Amino acid sequence: MSATWGNYLKLTIFGESHGKAIGIVLEGVPPGITLDKDFIHRQLQRRAPGQNKLSTQRQEKDQFEILSGYFKDKTTGTPMTFVIANQDQYSRDYTKQKNIPRPGHGDYPGYVKYHGFNDYRGGGHFSGRLTAPLVLAGAIAQQLLKIRDIHIGSHIKSIYNIQDEQFNKIHIQSEQLESLKDKDFPILKNAQEQKMKEAILEAKNDLDSVGGVIETAMINIPAGLGSPFFDSVESRLAHMLFSIPAVKGVEFGSGFDLSTMKGSQGKDEYRVEEGQIKTLANHNGGILGGITTGMPIIFNTAFKPTPSIGQRQRTIDIEKMENIDLEIIGRHDPCILPRAVPVVEAVGALGLLDLIIEREGRSWMS
Amino acid sequence: MSATWGNYLKLTIFGESHGKAIGIVLEGVPPGITLDKDFIHRQLQRRAPGQNKLSTQRQEKDQFEILSGYFKDKTTGTPMTFVIANQDQYSRDYTKQKNIPRPGHGDYPGYVKYHGFNDYRGGGHFSGRLTAPLVLAGAIAQQLLKIRDIHIGSHIKSIYNIQDEQFNKIHIQSEQLESLKDKDFPILKNAQEQKMKEAILEAKNDLDSVGGVIETAMINIPAGLGSPFFDSVESRLAHMLFSIPAVKGVEFGSGFDLSTMKGSQGKDEYRVEEGQIKTLANHNGGILGGITTGMPIIFNTAFKPTPSIGQRQRTIDIEKMENIDLEIIGRHDPCILPRAVPVVEAVGALGLLDLIIEREGRSWMS
Amino acid sequence: MSATWGNYLKLTIFGESHGKAIGIVLEGVPPGITLDKDFIHRQLQRRAPGQNKLSTQRQEKDQFEILSGYFKDKTTGTPMTFVIANQDQYSRDYTKQKNIPRPGHGDYPGYVKYHGFNDYRGGGHFSGRLTAPLVLAGAIAQQLLKIRDIHIGSHIKSIYNIQDEQFNKIHIQSEQLESLKDKDFPILKNAQEQKMKEAILEAKNDLDSVGGVIETAMINIPAGLGSPFFDSVESRLAHMLFSIPAVKGVEFGSGFDLSTMKGSQGKDEYRVEEGQIKTLANHNGGILGGITTGMPIIFNTAFKPTPSIGQRQRTIDIEKMENIDLEIIGRHDPCILPRAVPVVEAVGALGLLDLIIEREGRSWMS
Amino acid sequence: MSATWGNYLKLTIFGESHGKAIGIVLEGVPPGITLDKDFIHRQLQRRAPGQNKLSTQRQEKDQFEILSGYFKDKTTGTPMTFVIANQDQYSRDYTKQKNIPRPGHGDYPGYVKYHGFNDYRGGGHFSGRLTAPLVLAGAIAQQLLKIRDIHIGSHIKSIYNIQDEQFNKIHIQSEQLESLKDKDFPILKNAQEQKMKEAILEAKNDLDSVGGVIETAMINIPAGLGSPFFDSVESRLAHMLFSIPAVKGVEFGSGFDLSTMKGSQGKDEYRVEEGQIKTLANHNGGILGGITTGMPIIFNTAFKPTPSIGQRQRTIDIEKMENIDLEIIGRHDPCILPRAVPVVEAVGALGLLDLIIEREGRSWMS
């Protein structure tokens, strides 16, 4: 069990959705940095529900407080602690009962793991709300990476059965990645936005939900990061990606599609281009033998549709061991994909920065 | 960087494909166990190349030696060390040169990471050969899990564009899982075997290769294992799965397919059945909120086609920074999927046992 | 670098002495426990300065807030977060300047490590104040251990050159250990208290300070805890003891004295007594081969005299690279030993509980 | 439990005294280094018994084999594996029985921990023999540190009640430290050698044993290494020192003596000397606030007298739960101090290198 992640850039998440506050301890941030608080706030806002009429009405305003590691508007280099107060904590949000698990949520296994003592209101320790501190820390990581001209960006690759275009795995401009951050609904092919939103609204009206896939790219990556057995780049990133609630699949480069190709189709031949070593294709998503090649790191993260649907569902009463029906009354988010985008970027940034500090040491920025 | 994995069942892999031997240190095996050496040998044999005419001709006989942790035919409870001698170490296997990276392999990023000093013969530290100690340890883990009637089994879900059937995610018999271990080519629908083998032979004749997907199931799982943030079951398993060479995608339950469904389609409703809590479907693959529910754990691992194809490929000379062509001469494995099956099972077993020991302590078998 | 400690009972300390708050994330507390908040407060009070006229006048009232892991007056089993607000934060406490390091403190090496950006007010991240969250967590650990009738207690073994008696290493009653917690000045031989206090007051009047040694005992220990290479009980405890500011030496059992004995003098022979296995002496302090024997664990922790003395001292100006004199004006604590006692106990309790959970699993209390 | 130690320079020890071989996996050694094998052999020889008539007659010739991480006489940068064959494995060495624990050894707690299944011959997993791989790895660490002009040396500070001189904590020449490595009996004041050897011989004739203290110094240390809470330099070093069998106490700088001083006596005032920052004294042993200052790191390690004495001792039969007498017949080492010196140095070197790589990254040697 571990609320702590990371080897060289360490983070410990704490708090619960219905507790007073949530937060994160972040170690490894170099001293002397002035935080870009606007950037942090914008990422937090992208994650917060209630930003548009598609999502849940639950209001979350994520203001944060810095308890340590920041002095005279500069990081000290000591561990940083950020706290975000929880607001809008109406237990009446969900007609939830301790002994009646909602299908698709962590209620039942949590009941078993914590012997029935866990805080069952909202999501408790399982809550998507705990991704807020992750986004905060990821924003700081992105700020640091940009000093090295390393950029991260994501778009919604698909929602339900509607596809967006994909990134060009070989040439990606930093401007494209950064501009996606300014979109409420970050996709590449604008024509798809309307179709996707219609699918979401239709689900909302049906008291249903839809899932999707987020594609992420990281560019200007130093080669040589990661270790085979047991810290490949895929391992490090996937470990944290699968911690994000609702993630059920992760693939790198051409991923599962690559498994359907022949070697001659899925090859990444090398070439020297303007004094740099590149590959002609990038089916491997910038990672070979678990180590970065310098080509863009590309990965897809699959999100299941939110289980909090308003339709009637069959469940049980754990204490009586009886079958009963359940209807979730409350705020209902039909699609979390737009809000999940900054979370996935945060994870990518944190994982990458951790690997960079490993290789280059704590004076990596010098 | 870490050659060590695990929290409670720890393993440290050592060795290189062209060194004298490879091995593993395994901590956490309870004392008093008599190892099922036949079972270990059978799993090692499934992994070794040269078992059938489809694969490479390189001979590997994996006999192992126990250096510690075993006394009077019983485990002592102290760390166990296993060593497997490397045979058949003809550097002439591959017309490989230090400064000419093979596309799709870890040669180039390894060159960068290790400043050009890494052993470039065969795969060195990146080699698939290092999965042999993993299979050995996984076999021990499987033996221990069977004492608790926990079973693991896998089949080849697809090769190239040819699909096998899938496991029934709700009802899987231990006999089915164990019987798959006896098949040289483990699939569910026998009719597909011929098609798959034809695709492999065709690739071999073309000096090409094919990839595929392995589906794994683990049954009779205790509920309550794993922790959200940052040790979900998906995180723990994916971390090690992505360490297996050639793995480019991992999904749990209905995985990426689940992202295309509506919440009403992908739901896992609960029911009480014969005094046990089950789900009507199992799209989540036995894991909710990062914690096991007791339903079968189901996951898919996607393997890219082996990059060691015999066809001419474009590459570079790193030292001269020139573009050149490359032709790999030597033993050529067109499809590693059958050999990868025991590796994936090993990973599943080790990850699961690690989680069980966490929850139940070192006297977990009592 | 790590603000996190522990394998099975994990704790992450955060905050700084002059920040808004300090706190701790504590994972591994079993669900269903009602915290003994009175006990926690008493331990915090023992640690706080300003409790008596011997110590510093700086007032610290340690009220804590629980941010997570506690619901309806019971632990949930999820990570617990405690926050203690910092009060009395007068930067004017110390006439301290960023570029003038106080001798004996972490100022100078902290300046180097953090490139001059660390918060130099008070002790910043080095502060003894960060032992408050440690005491809080340790109090919870002690409460849990008492459920198993395991007790921890300490006394001041020496201050300056004045010695108290020592514990009987073989027979220690739980009542003796618990009663020491109720003493403001915990010693065994009451006659020594006056002499020790006189030495402290004399130092205070001279603007000087005195150090000392704390002896700790833990009884009713299960045998079999700890692992040789690299997690012996001594290693685990010493690792955390040396994190306490001002600690410069740790010994177990007869420690350094044992190094002056012959084997025949320092032996711990075995005997069966009332169906239990005991040793006739206990020079090894309850630990052999790095593993507990069941005999009382005894260890001594040596504290250097507080470097915050009011006398004139020679130091430097780091920026000008000049030699200058320094006089520390402010609140001056001549002896931290009484306040350090609950800190040492907290460390012992946390270390022991971590080892117990390792061996017995998360259902260790059942 | 962990056979693995280290954050950035990781080592995993494996093997047992009566198994076929022992060894170590060492990760983090930079690529391109040609190992000084003579130096490694000399350190191993200092550790081996049977080098002189004072010690045990048991012969150990420590030849090692490199299984990985070394190619064309240079380190590759991948994990290195060293194996040392066990020779002279006469179980008849000790008239030892599984159910009769030797006082002062790990036999009894090991019996409990491993449920009676541990290899009881010799010391099994507890054996001092496992310090051989530690010395090997430490020799490599010392070679790397010397490239940075960092030197480590130790002498026997005391044996029984006979004292040697102490290091000058402020000025220590590298020549002094290196020359101590060439002495069979490393002490500073030659006149004490005879007295110490007489005490050892006397103990040998009495079938008894003596313990002692080793003082170690490390010079030319970069300032800024280590972290308060929970990775202070003292914590990191003490953690590994207490893993060495027979160690019962560790102190830094003036250690326990410092606890008897006043602050005015034990102060380390700063001064600028030839453009460098030094302290006038060095009671803190080069570490303040858990971080190195640049002054020599000084620490003492206390070893208890070997419990393997030939005299009759009282013990028990664990299975019958009866009191019996025991006489250890066999090879009897009256004093392990000379052999422990290279072990302590190895630990110091490994701990320091781990901290340096943390701060400076994997390209720390560039």
Side-chain angles (χ1 to χ4, degrees), chain A residues 305-320:
Chain A
T306 329
S308 287
I309 59 179
Q311 302 176 8
R312 188 173 300 267
Q313 299 185 74
R314 285 167 287 187
T315 186
I316 59 174
D317 182 316
I318 301 177
E319 288 166 15
K320 298 179 187 171

Side-chain angles (χ1 to χ4, degrees), chain D residues 20-64:
Chain D
K20 289 179 191 156
I22 55 180
I24 189 162
V25 181
L26 182 63
E27 306 177 57
V29 181
I33 306 287
T34 297
L35 293 182
D36 185 344
K37 291 184 179 178
D38 282 341
F39 181 71
I40 297 175
H41 276 118
R42 287 204 306 279
Q43 305 320 308
L44 286 172
Q45 205 167 347
R46 294 172 72 199
R47 191 211 76 82
Q51 302 310 314
N52 56 67
K53 68 182 194 298
L54 288 174
S55 80
T56 185
Q57 295 315 308
R58 189 160 180 273
Q59 293 303 320
E60 287 184 35
K61 284 193 190 26
D62 289 325
Q63 301 298 325
F64 60 89

